[in-house]
Amino acid sequence: MELPEIDDYAGLFLEERPLLDVRAPVEFTAGAFPGAVNLPLLTDEERHLIGIRYKEGGQEAAVELGRELVDGVPRRERTERWAEFVRAHPEGVLYCFRGGMRSKITQEWIFDATGIAYPRVKGGYKALRNFLIDQLEVSAREIEPVVVGGRTGAGKTILVNRIEKSIDLEGLAWHRGSAFGRHATPQPTQIDFENRLSVALLRHRASKGPKVILEDESKAIGSRHLPPSLYEKMSQSPLVILEATLEERIANSIEEYVTRSLQEYRQQYGEEEGFRQWEAYAVDSLQRISRRLGGVRHREMERELTGAIEQMRRGAPHDVHAGWIARLLTEYYDPMYDYQLEQKRERILFSGDMQALMEYLADL
């Protein structure tokens, strides 16, 4: 029986069909698609051994070793996991790296165990990845961005997430886009980021049209880089400026870099260790910009930061960080912003506070 293949790559992502990835864990870690579940045919060690056999004895010898390695209990256990996925997600698809041997074996075993002819992706992960890379370029040409700028702490990401026709680039890159932008968990790989971004843009174009609200970003968000074509499009697009008072910016910064960040670290590491990890993150983040701050100013701000942390340990509210954060905003970020804004002034469509900007963008 010829088991089914699917090559409607756009449909898979637009319909958000469940994806069963049967590649080895090391392949999945290097790059995956949003929402995909990794239930591998081969472990990393098994894949490595089969690769050696292939080089030494060719494909037939490698296939024979593969069947030996997964025969018996491994086959039953892996087939049971696949069968659970298939029954839970009857509309899904499966794939390996190129849509070849591993996909076909998985299909056969699923069919033998369940009687379900579960489709595999033609060309596998590689074909889907190439499709998304191509779509990034298509999206960069077709979208009509309106870029949200504003001073650090003004609440740009908050605004973007309140607007329906928007994409949160920092959310996709899992970084807040500043020296203090790291989260308690790592950023996705560059491949994962590109895949997430391409899928988000594809879905946006299909359901909401070409107009899209994006936050003003540099070429890199943390250690993840925007595709050059998208960055170039954004750098030439209309700009709206979110204005906020210094007090609002301080409050937003405390909420993001102290309150929510500390909560993340405690969820990840526990109460006490989470606090220690967050303290290390805060001190290290300030250290990263010490050269630009200058030695004297960095030491002063570090003393204020560590002093505020000690007060927190004794039960003080998080607004004890207001002093050094105010200096960080006004002495470090604002001069850079003022310089950069001068280069973009001719692109500005509108400036206003949160409410005014939301109303303007809704009308736009």
Side-chain angles (χ1 to χ4, degrees):
M1 175 181 176
E2 187 65 29
L3 294 169
E5 279 188 308
I6 285 182
D7 60 3
D8 178 13
Y9 307 138
L12 292 179
F13 293 114
L14 292 176
E15 296 164 16
E16 300 186 48
R17 295 181 65 173
L19 302 175
L20 172 57
D21 188 324
V22 300
R23 296 176 301 153
V26 66
E27 297 172 282
F28 186 81
T29 300
F33 303 118
V37 174
N38 184 221
L39 298 175
L41 171 64
L42 301 171
T43 66
D44 292 338
E45 178 62 19
E46 290 165 351
R47 174 176 173 268
H48 176 66
L49 292 173
I50 291 168
I52 293 174
R53 180 66 60 87
Y54 179 84
K55 290 179 181 178
E56 294 175 347
Q59 182 176 7
E60 190 173 332
V63 171
E64 181 60 31
L65 175 61
R67 293 191 182 279
E68 291 175 12
L69 289 173
V70 298
D71 194 28
V73 173
R75 171 173 174 168
R76 286 196 300 274
E77 290 177 344
R78 291 167 204 186
T79 303
E80 285 172 7
R81 289 197 293 269
W82 295 332
E84 289 177 9
F85 182 93
V86 167
R87 294 188 183 103
H89 306 287
E91 74 281 21
V93 298
L94 65 85
Y95 57 86
C96 61
F97 183 67
R98 291 189 179 88
M101 185 70 71
R102 285 183 287 177
S103 289
K104 292 176 182 178
I105 291 172
T106 303
Q107 271 188 309
E108 291 169 5
W109 291 1
I110 289 173
F111 183 76
D112 290 345
T114 66
I116 297 172
Y118 211 59
R120 73 179 185 273
V121 176
K122 186 175 183 178
Y125 171 87
K126 188 174 183 180
L128 289 174
R129 167 70 175 158
N130 287 338
F131 169 77
L132 290 182
I133 292 173
D134 292 342
Q135 284 301 305
L136 276 173
E137 298 304 308
V138 174
S139 292
R141 289 195 303 268
E142 294 190 358
I143 61 171
E144 299 172 9
V146 176
V147 179
V148 177
R151 296 182 186 277
T152 300
K156 299 183 292 294
T157 304
I158 296 171
L159 172 66
V160 165
N161 283 301
R162 289 179 181 176
I163 298 289
E164 182 187 2
K165 291 191 174 184
S166 67
I167 294 176
D168 181 2
L169 297 175
E170 292 183 359
L172 295 175
W174 195 231
H175 194 279
R176 301 182 186 95
S178 70
F180 286 78
R182 285 175 296 152
H183 288 276
T185 50
Q187 288 189 262
T189 65
Q190 180 67 25
I191 291 174
D192 280 358
F193 171 59
E194 291 168 357
N195 288 344
R196 293 178 187 185
L197 176 59
S198 185
V199 170
L201 288 166
L202 180 69
R203 290 173 179 168
H204 185 96
R205 285 163 41 214
S207 62
K208 300 174 183 176
K211 188 82 71 178
V212 59
I213 311 302
L214 301 172
E215 185 172 344
D216 197 11
E217 302 288 355
S218 63
K219 293 181 179 180
I221 306 175
S223 56
R224 299 298 163 252
H225 296 269
L226 289 172
S229 55
L230 178 62
Y231 176 77
E232 184 68 21
K233 185 66 168 283
M234 291 172 61
S235 67
Q236 298 171 3
S237 296
L239 188 67
V240 294
I241 302 298
L242 176 60
E243 296 176 345
T245 65
L246 178 59
E247 290 71 23
E248 289 171 330
R249 295 167 58 211
I250 292 170
N252 286 337
S253 299
I254 291 172
E255 173 66 20
E256 191 153 7
Y257 301 130
V258 181
T259 303
R260 287 168 55 190
S261 182
L262 176 57
Q263 184 180 30
E264 276 186 22
Y265 276 90
R266 280 177 160 162
Q267 287 174 344
Q268 183 73 14
Y269 298 102
E271 194 75 12
E272 290 301 320
E273 181 60 21
F275 191 95
R276 284 192 289 271
Q277 292 283 346
W278 172 79
E279 178 182 11
Y281 140 82
V283 173
D284 180 65
S285 296
L286 191 63
Q287 175 63 37
R288 287 167 183 257
I289 57 173
S290 60
R291 186 171 298 177
R292 290 185 179 180
L293 286 171
V296 173
R297 187 162 53 180
H298 170 255
R299 287 191 293 274
E300 291 173 352
M301 292 175 66
E302 186 177 51
R303 280 196 298 270
E304 292 180 57
L305 167 61
T306 56
I309 291 172
E310 286 305 314
Q311 291 182 64
M312 281 176 60
R313 277 202 175 91
R314 297 192 294 269
H318 293 176
D319 61 11
V320 294
H321 289 274
W324 73 268
I325 286 179
R327 291 191 64 186
L328 183 71
L329 295 175
T330 58
E331 298 178 25
Y332 177 72
Y333 283 113
D334 285 359
M336 289 192 297
Y337 173 80
D338 291 337
Y339 173 78
Q340 292 165 1
L341 188 64
E342 278 303 313
Q343 321 305 311
K344 306 172 182 178
R345 195 164 293 281
E346 72 282 356
R347 293 164 45 207
I348 297 174
L349 294 178
F350 183 84
S351 299
D353 62 17
M354 181 75 72
Q355 186 60 38
L357 213 54
M358 287 187 66
E359 291 174 359
Y360 177 81
L361 291 172
D363 291 340
L364 190 66

